[in-house]
Amino acid sequence: MENEKIDSSSLAMFMRSLRGFVYADGKADIAETKAMIGAVHPFAGRDEDLAALERLLVDIAADGIVTAEESARLAATISRLETRYATADAVYDARTLGLPKMGVLGVQHMFAMFGATILVPILTGLSPSATLLWAGLGTLLFHLVTRRIVPAFLGSSFAYLAGYFALTRLVGTEGYEGLAKGVALQYACLGVAASSVIYFVVSALVKACGVKRVMKFFPPVVTGPIIIGIGLVLAPVAINSCNGGWPVALVAIATVLVASIFGRGMIRIIPILCGVIASYVAAVIFGCVGWADKIDYSGVAAAPWVGLPIRWGDTALQLVVGGSFDWGLAITAFAIIIPLAFATIMEHVGDVSAISSTVKRNFFENPGLHRTMLGDGLATCLASLFGAPANTTYGENTGVLSLSRVYDPRVIRIAACLAILVSFCPKFSAFIGTIPGATIGGVSFVLYGMISSVGVRNLVESQVDLSKSRNMLISAIILVLTLGISFSKAGAIRFAVGSVSFALSGLAVGAMTGIILNAVLPGKDFVFSESDPTIKDPERWGGKKNRGKRFVDEKP
C-alpha cells in the first residue's frame, strides 16, 4: 500500500475513531458499526487490512451480533492497523500546514545542520560560504536523483577530515618544500572528487547485483576499525588547538556534554552549535577581562554584505586548467582520500536506514539504495570540485524529523534554499572566521572522540565476533597500519615512480589492506539485510531497531 497517497489528517481522524470503537461478544451497536463502516470505506480499497475490516463490519451490521470469532478477528485486525499506522498523526504533506509553518520548519532544519556543516571548513581552511552553497545545492541535487521522496539534508562530512589534514601536513616536508597550504587543500578536494567515483561504482553494482552482494565487501569488521582510526588520527589536532586557550576550550567541551546528555528537544540535536556559541561568548568575555586575546572584528567590518561564495582560484577545477598540475601530488591525494569513501558509504547506509526507520518508509526499496548513493556521490563530487567539503546525509536533520513529525521532503528543500541564500553573504563568512581556535579545539576534542566511538559502536551493534581469529586479525592489522604509519617519523609511506613521487597515509594503507584481507580470507559471517539494516544512533534520531519486522508501508 502507498500511505503517501492517503491524506494524513483524514487517516489520523479515522485512527482516532477506530481506537474509540467499542465491540464485545454478543449484541452489536448497529448504528456505531455502520458509522465505522462509513469511516473505513474511503481507505478500504488501498489496504488489505482495511478492506478486511470493512467486510467484517458489514457482516456484523447485517445480523447485529458479534461472535467470539468475529471479536478475535476485530482485535487482531485493529492491532495490526494501529501498528501499521503508528505515525498516522505525522505529516507527510507539509502543504496542509500552510506556508508560514513550512518556512519555520525549514529554518529549524537549517539551524540543526548549521553547526556541524560550518565546522568542517573552519577546521580545514576551506570556504564557509562555498560550504553552505554546496550543502544547499547538493541537497537539492540529492532530492532530484532520489525522486524527491527522501527527507534528507546533505551537510559537511567529518569522515574526510583525516584526508584534508594528511595533505596539508605535507606542506614543508621533504619533496614538498614549495607546497602552499591552499594548494594542498585544492589537491585534497580533487582527491575527494575522485573518491566519489567509488559511490558511482557501488551504486551501479547495487543496481546490477543487489545490495547484499555488494555490502559483503564492506562488513563492520572492516569499516568499524577504519572509523576508529579516523578519530584517533585526528586526536592530536584537537589537543593542539585546545593548547591555544584551554579555558575557552573547556567551556566548549562542557557545553557539548551537557547539551548531549541533559538537553531536550532541539538542544539535544545541536550540541556542536551550542558548544560553539557558548565558547565564543566565553572567549569574548575572557578577552574583555584580559584572560584571552580580544577577537578582531576588522575583517567583518570590511566584508561586503553581498558577494559570490566561490573564488575560482580556490577550486580544484583551477588545478586542472591552470597549467601547473602536479601528478605526483594528485596521486598522493587519490591514494590518501579514496579509501575513506568505503567508510562513508557505510555511514550513508546507516543514515538512510535511520531516516527509513524514523519516517516509516523503506527507502532501500523506493527509491532504492543505488539512487541515494548516486545522489550523495554526485553532491560530493561537485562540492569538492568547487572548493567545498565532501557532503553526507545528516543525522541532525533526521532528529528534527522525529521531533517535528513532519516528514515532507519539501521542508528540507526549504532549508537547502536558505543555506544557499546565506552563502551569498561574505560578511557572515568573515564573522565565522573570527571563531577562536580554542573554541574549535574544544568542539573537535569531543567530535573526534565521537568518531572513534561510532566505529566501536559499529562493531558492537553488528555483533562482530572478535573471538574469531579472522576478525581479530583484520581489525588488528587495520588499526596498527593506520595508527603506526600516521604517527611514525615519516608520517606516510613514500614512493617514487620515475620522476613522480607520492605518499600513502596510514588510513589509506589500513583501509585498503582491510578490504583485501576481508575479501580473500575464508570465514565471512556478515550478511546485510535490507529489512533490518544497521541503524546509526536510532534512539537519538527517533528510529527504532527493526528486529526482522517489515517497514510499516509494506504489505503484510
Side-chain angles (χ1 to χ4, degrees):
M1 178 199 128
E2 299 180 1
N3 291 346
E4 62 271 17
K5 293 183 179 179
I6 298 179
D7 177 71
S8 57
S9 60
S10 299
L11 183 55
M13 187 180 299
F14 165 68
M15 288 303 299
R16 286 193 292 270
S17 301
L18 183 61
R19 295 186 185 105
F21 179 55
V22 179
Y23 61 92
D25 299 358
K27 192 173 182 180
D29 186 325
I30 303 247
E32 184 181 5
T33 304
K34 288 183 177 180
M36 184 55 61
I37 292 172
V40 74
H41 181 72
F43 309 109
R46 302 175 182 176
D47 181 88
E48 293 179 2
D49 278 329
L50 289 168
L53 177 61
E54 183 183 36
R55 290 193 298 269
L56 187 55
L57 292 172
V58 169
D59 291 342
I60 293 172
D63 55 15
I65 299 297
V66 182
T67 66
E69 180 186 357
E70 288 173 334
S71 178
R73 287 167 58 193
L74 274 173
T77 303
I78 291 175
S79 176
R80 286 197 302 270
L81 287 170
E82 287 181 337
T83 300
R84 178 183 288 274
Y85 296 111
T87 59
D89 57 338
V91 178
Y92 289 91
D93 187 350
R95 291 174 296 184
T96 60
L97 302 174
L99 289 177
K101 289 185 178 179
M102 288 179 66
V104 171
L105 288 166
V107 171
Q108 191 177 32
H109 275 284
M110 181 184 170
F111 191 57
M113 68 84 190
F114 190 81
T117 295
I118 64 169
L119 184 58
V120 173
I122 293 172
L123 290 170
T124 58
L126 296 171
S127 167
S129 294
T131 299
L132 288 172
L133 174 67
W134 283 101
L137 292 177
T139 299
L140 296 178
L141 177 61
F142 176 86
H143 281 234
L144 180 63
V145 173
T146 57
R147 299 174 177 170
R148 302 184 300 280
I149 63 175
V150 181
F153 192 98
L154 270 61
S156 303
S157 172
F158 289 94
Y160 283 97
L161 283 175
Y164 292 113
F165 291 142
L167 263 294
T168 54
R169 277 199 296 265
L170 295 176
V171 175
T173 62
E174 182 182 354
Y176 300 99
E177 291 82 0
L179 179 63
K181 181 180 178 180
V183 176
L185 282 175
Q186 288 177 298
Y187 278 98
C189 287
L190 192 64
V192 174
S195 74
S196 63
V197 174
I198 302 297
Y199 277 86
F200 304 150
V201 172
V202 173
S203 174
L205 290 174
V206 168
K207 176 66 174 176
C209 306
V211 62
K212 288 185 179 180
R213 292 184 179 180
V214 177
M215 288 298 111
K216 70 179 182 180
F217 290 100
F218 313 111
V221 72
V222 173
T223 57
I226 291 174
I227 296 171
I228 293 172
I230 290 173
L232 294 179
V233 166
L234 293 173
V237 179
I239 297 298
N240 291 335
S241 297
C242 291
N243 285 336
W246 273 104
V248 174
L250 288 174
V251 172
I253 294 170
T255 303
V256 172
L257 291 176
V258 170
S260 297
I261 297 174
F262 301 106
R264 294 292 181 268
M266 278 292 292
I267 297 298
R268 193 181 183 195
I269 294 172
I270 54 171
I272 292 176
L273 184 59
C274 292
V276 170
I277 293 173
S279 183
Y280 189 93
V281 172
V284 171
I285 296 173
F286 293 165
C288 292
V289 299
W291 295 354
D293 294 334
K294 286 188 176 182
I295 298 174
D296 182 9
Y297 292 101
S298 59
V300 180
W305 282 101
V306 179
L308 294 176
I310 297 176
R311 291 182 295 183
W312 174 252
D314 295 338
T315 66
L317 288 174
Q318 191 271 341
L319 291 174
V320 180
V321 299
S324 58
F325 192 75
D326 186 336
W327 273 107
L329 195 54
I331 293 173
T332 297
F334 297 160
I336 289 174
I337 295 178
I338 288 178
L340 299 178
F342 297 111
T344 59
I345 283 174
M346 293 307 298
E347 179 187 28
H348 173 89
V349 172
D351 285 334
V352 173
S353 176
I355 297 171
S356 295
S357 177
T358 299
V359 307
K360 304 299 185 291
R361 296 286 187 271
N362 192 343
F363 295 126
F364 286 90
E365 290 189 353
N366 182 29
L369 183 61
H370 64 287
R371 281 185 173 271
T372 64
M373 200 168 290
L374 176 62
D376 201 340
L378 285 172
T380 292
C381 181
L382 291 174
S384 54
L385 287 176
F386 285 93
N391 282 333
T392 188
T393 44
Y394 255 34
E396 287 88 341
N397 294 89
T398 306
V400 175
L401 291 173
S402 177
L403 184 69
S404 66
R405 300 185 68 79
V406 178
Y407 303 147
D408 190 343
R410 291 182 181 88
V411 298
I412 303 289
R413 294 195 284 272
I414 291 174
C417 292
L418 291 173
I420 294 171
L421 185 64
V422 172
S423 73
F424 283 88
C425 180
K427 192 174 288 291
F428 171 79
S429 181
F431 178 78
I432 295 299
T434 65
I435 296 177
T439 294
I440 303 306
V443 173
S444 57
F445 182 98
V446 180
L447 178 67
Y448 298 159
M450 289 174 63
I451 292 175
S452 291
S453 298
V454 167
V456 174
R457 187 181 61 200
N458 194 2
L459 293 172
V460 173
E461 289 185 347
S462 302
Q463 299 180 354
V464 175
D465 188 358
L466 292 179
S467 66
K468 291 186 177 181
S469 298
R470 174 189 188 277
N471 294 340
M472 178 68 78
L473 288 172
I474 291 175
S475 300
I477 290 172
I478 291 174
L479 289 173
V480 169
L481 287 173
T482 298
L483 302 180
I485 295 173
S486 298
F487 297 129
S488 66
K489 186 175 181 180
I493 297 178
R494 301 175 186 273
F495 293 92
V497 180
S499 60
V500 178
S501 61
F502 57 94
L504 292 176
S505 70
L507 275 169
V509 176
M512 289 187 291
T513 302
I515 292 170
I516 293 172
L517 285 176
N518 175 72
V520 300
L521 293 179
K524 298 181 182 68
D525 56 2
F526 173 69
V527 178
F528 179 83
S529 172
E530 293 178 73
S531 62
D532 188 19
T534 302
I535 295 178
K536 187 178 71 174
D537 213 352
E539 293 180 357
R540 178 171 185 180
W541 306 133
K544 294 182 179 179
K545 285 196 173 182
N546 191 349
R547 297 299 185 186
K549 297 180 181 179
R550 297 175 182 268
F551 286 82
V552 297
D553 61 337
E554 296 180 273
K555 291 183 178 181

